[in-house]
Amino acid sequence: MLVAVIAWLASRSWKIVIGCVLTLLALGYFGMWEDTMKTISMIFVCTVLAIAFGIPIGIAMARWDRLRATINPILDVMQTMPSFVYLIPVVMLLGIGRVPGLIAVVIYAIPPVIRLTDLGIRLVDKDVLEAADAFGSSAWQRLVNVQMPLALPTIMAGINQTIMMCLSMVVIAAMIGVQGLGQPVLKAIANQYFTLGVFNGLAIVGIAAIFDRVSQAYGKRLQKHLEVTHGN
């Protein structure tokens, strides 16, 4: 019920809400409800943390070229490093459990939202920024009222990619004790249970579809709202 309410508040689309409800009912019917809820909660927390840290870093990179030159190589390494490698230092420092898994997922998933926030703000037309300066806008007003609304489609694309990477890493993080749909998948691999692996894999696809459609719909609604607000 809570997922349906959130889907409705974000999308205002009955089609998306019905799709979310049917997907969750199917997962419950096949006995994967508890693991699904654990996976959804983990993805939600990891996504919120990645956005909370990633967007400010992206904004700072867009404002200071020296900082961008410093952080970009780090992001290159983070995006090319195999996902399993992220588990090694986390396990060495914090051991096995939910918190180490959460940290590994956030670190793995944060680069897209940082890069695309930086890119979206840098792509804002300079003539628009000059017009904002001519009207006496402060740096904060220019960021909040001009740059962020115009960069919103690019930022939402970064958030969407972050959600998908969180989902993929949550499954891998099952190797260090993160509960959810990843553990049955690992069990299926270890014991060659084809049916178990396929069903849990489809459950992960269903969750990915829910997050993808809801986040895209929310991004479109938010963009239209900002266009109407600034148009008036």
Side-chain angles (χ1 to χ4, degrees):
M1 181 61 71
L2 180 60
V3 174
V5 172
I6 294 173
W8 167 251
L9 293 175
S11 66
R12 292 294 197 276
S13 171
W14 285 112
K15 292 182 179 179
I16 293 177
V17 173
I18 292 172
C20 293
V21 171
L22 291 178
T23 301
L24 293 175
L25 288 175
L27 294 176
Y29 177 78
F30 287 106
M32 294 180 285
W33 181 261
E34 186 176 349
D35 288 336
T36 299
M37 291 300 103
K38 290 177 181 177
T39 299
I40 289 177
S41 63
M42 189 73 174
I43 294 170
F44 180 78
V45 173
C46 292
T47 301
V48 170
L49 290 175
I51 292 171
F53 287 104
I55 290 181
I57 294 173
I59 293 172
M61 288 175 61
R63 295 192 63 181
W64 293 294
D65 291 336
R66 185 173 295 179
L67 180 63
R68 185 171 188 261
T70 302
I71 294 180
N72 261 335
I74 300 174
L75 295 178
D76 291 337
V77 172
M78 292 172 68
Q79 290 188 293
T80 54
M81 188 175 294
S83 54
F84 292 96
V85 178
Y86 284 89
L87 304 179
I88 299 172
V90 174
V91 171
M92 289 176 61
L93 294 173
L94 300 174
I96 293 176
R98 186 178 302 174
V99 174
L102 184 145
I103 294 172
V105 172
V106 172
I107 294 173
Y108 176 77
I110 203 172
V113 71
I114 295 176
R115 281 191 183 278
L116 289 174
T117 299
D118 171 39
L119 178 63
I121 293 175
R122 287 179 177 272
L123 289 178
V124 174
D125 194 344
K126 293 183 179 179
D127 293 336
V128 177
L129 298 179
E130 290 176 0
D133 291 335
F135 280 103
S137 299
S138 64
W140 175 256
Q141 289 173 330
R142 185 176 64 177
L143 174 65
V144 174
N145 297 324
V146 179
Q147 291 175 300
M148 291 297 287
L150 293 176
L152 185 62
T154 307
I155 294 173
M156 288 304 300
I159 292 174
N160 186 268
Q161 289 300 308
T162 292
I163 293 172
M164 296 300 107
M165 292 183 73
C166 280
L167 183 57
S168 63
M169 190 61 181
V170 162
V171 176
I172 296 172
M175 298 177 64
I176 60 172
V178 175
Q179 297 180 345
L181 293 169
Q183 290 188 340
V185 172
L186 290 178
K187 182 179 178 182
I189 294 173
N191 298 284
Q192 299 182 0
Y193 294 155
F194 176 76
T195 306
L196 179 65
V198 169
F199 273 99
N200 283 275
L202 291 175
I204 294 168
V205 172
I207 295 174
I210 290 173
F211 276 94
D212 180 66
R213 296 297 181 268
V214 172
S215 62
Q216 286 188 7
Y218 178 70
K220 291 178 181 178
R221 280 190 60 246
L222 187 58
Q223 186 178 1
K224 288 181 180 178
H225 173 72
L226 292 173
E227 288 175 355
V228 171
T229 302
H230 290 285
N232 291 336

